[in-house]
Amino acid sequence: MAAELRRLRAAAQLTRDDVMDRTGINAATLYRIEKARARPQKRTLMALLDLYGASESQRADLLAVQIGSADQGWLRPYHSELPEEYAAYIGFEAEARTVRNYESLFIPGLAQTEDYAHAVVKGGLPMASQREIEQRVQARMERQALLTRENPLRLWAIVDEAAIRREVGGGKVMRAQARRLLQLMEEPHVTFQVIPFDKGAHAGMPGSFLHMDFPDPADPELVYVGTPAGDLFLESEAEIRRYKLMFEHLQAVAVGPNDTADLLTRLAAASE
């Protein structure tokens, strides 16, 4: 819906301010709708479709999405309590064809064991309640079903060596996490690489990010960057090019999957 509404507005040659002037819909509200961060009310959707001159078939399709989106299959009842940006990310990820994920300090969420995820969330959100921690962990575990569905998500993950060395949850948890990564690397749709400490400075040192593309070529690629000040969804061509180039640099500096597997095997076999 978000992508189609953006296309319709562009075809009508209207800015968000133009839409606000003609419909009274706040520009910030329109931005959130077009970024899939908010579901439009029916009257809001109808006003937009009227303004954009949408065809009857477009109206029917988008109204069906609007009705269905109130009960999205990827949302569990408790997901409404998750931060809005994280819930939006879950939706994008569920529709993606490929996720390219660089992490500087953490094992990627799609590859985390439950014990590791629990330790990460608890340590990273010290003010969170036990309920909030459990909701986060449960959501993370559910997301991993994307890797085992009939048409699995393609995951290419690169991490700094710090991510596999830091003992999140203790040595036992990390050894189990290393075994989990080795398991995943046996799947043809999963690639995992490590950037060793001895590679020195590299393009990923400023922070983690994810790049997603989607099965429908009409859907724009997306970059997601989580920050303490809030999560960002980037989709301009310049931003996409910049992060794709950054990921290519990280692929080049990281050791290959075989050497990565050797490193993880040593970690998994480390003594207590």
Side-chain angles (χ1 to χ4, degrees), residues 8-58:
L8 286 171
R9 179 170 62 79
Q13 298 183 327
L14 296 170
T15 67
R16 291 194 182 99
D17 287 337
D18 292 334
V19 175
M20 181 174 66
D21 292 341
R22 299 190 190 189
T23 65
I25 297 171
N26 184 277
T29 298
L30 181 60
Y31 174 85
R32 291 166 65 80
I33 290 170
E34 291 188 346
K35 293 292 185 180
R37 296 188 185 184
R39 179 172 63 91
Q41 297 295 321
K42 183 176 180 180
R43 63 179 179 273
T44 300
L45 179 59
M46 293 301 296
L48 293 174
L49 296 177
D50 288 342
L51 178 61
Y52 300 157
S55 67
E56 289 302 317
S57 62
Q58 289 170 325

Side-chain angles (χ1 to χ4, degrees), residues 13 36 39 69 83 99 108-109 132 148 166 189 202 226 242 255 259 269:
Q13 298 183 327
R39 179 172 63 91
S69 67
V99 168
E132 289 169 333
T148 57
R166 182 175 295 278
H189 55 280
H202 59 77
R242 180 160 62 91
V255 296
D259 288 337

Side-chain angles (χ1 to χ4, degrees), residues 209 211 221-223 234-249:
F209 64 91
H211 166 246
E221 297 176 39
L222 189 68
V223 167
L234 311 174
E235 59 179 353
S236 74
E237 290 185 9
E239 290 166 333
I240 297 298
R241 278 197 306 271
R242 180 160 62 91
Y243 278 94
K244 287 174 78 170
L245 181 61
M246 194 184 306
F247 197 81
E248 288 173 5
H249 279 290

Side-chain angles (χ1 to χ4, degrees), residues 89 92-101 110 147 149 151-157 189 191 210-215 221-222 247 251:
Y89 172 79
F92 285 126
E93 184 183 66
E95 297 297 327
R97 176 181 59 185
T98 306
V99 168
R100 297 171 183 86
N101 185 187
L110 288 171
L147 298 176
R149 66 189 181 188
N151 183 25
L153 175 72
R154 302 173 194 168
L155 173 64
W156 194 312
H189 55 280
T191 302
L210 298 98
H211 166 246
M212 289 179 272
D213 61 41
F214 301 87
E221 297 176 39
L222 189 68
F247 197 81
Q251 287 174 303

Side-chain angles (χ1 to χ4, degrees), residues 180-234:
R180 169 63 174 156
L181 290 169
L182 287 167
Q183 239 178 4
L184 283 174
M185 290 176 69
E186 295 177 0
E187 300 296 334
H189 55 280
V190 177
T191 302
F192 187 77
Q193 293 179 266
V194 170
I195 302 175
F197 288 140
D198 62 15
K199 293 291 184 176
H202 59 77
M205 292 178 72
S208 305
F209 64 91
L210 298 98
H211 166 246
M212 289 179 272
D213 61 41
F214 301 87
D216 186 346
D219 288 338
E221 297 176 39
L222 189 68
V223 167
Y224 171 81
V225 182
T227 76
D231 298 343
L232 304 176
F233 293 91
L234 311 174

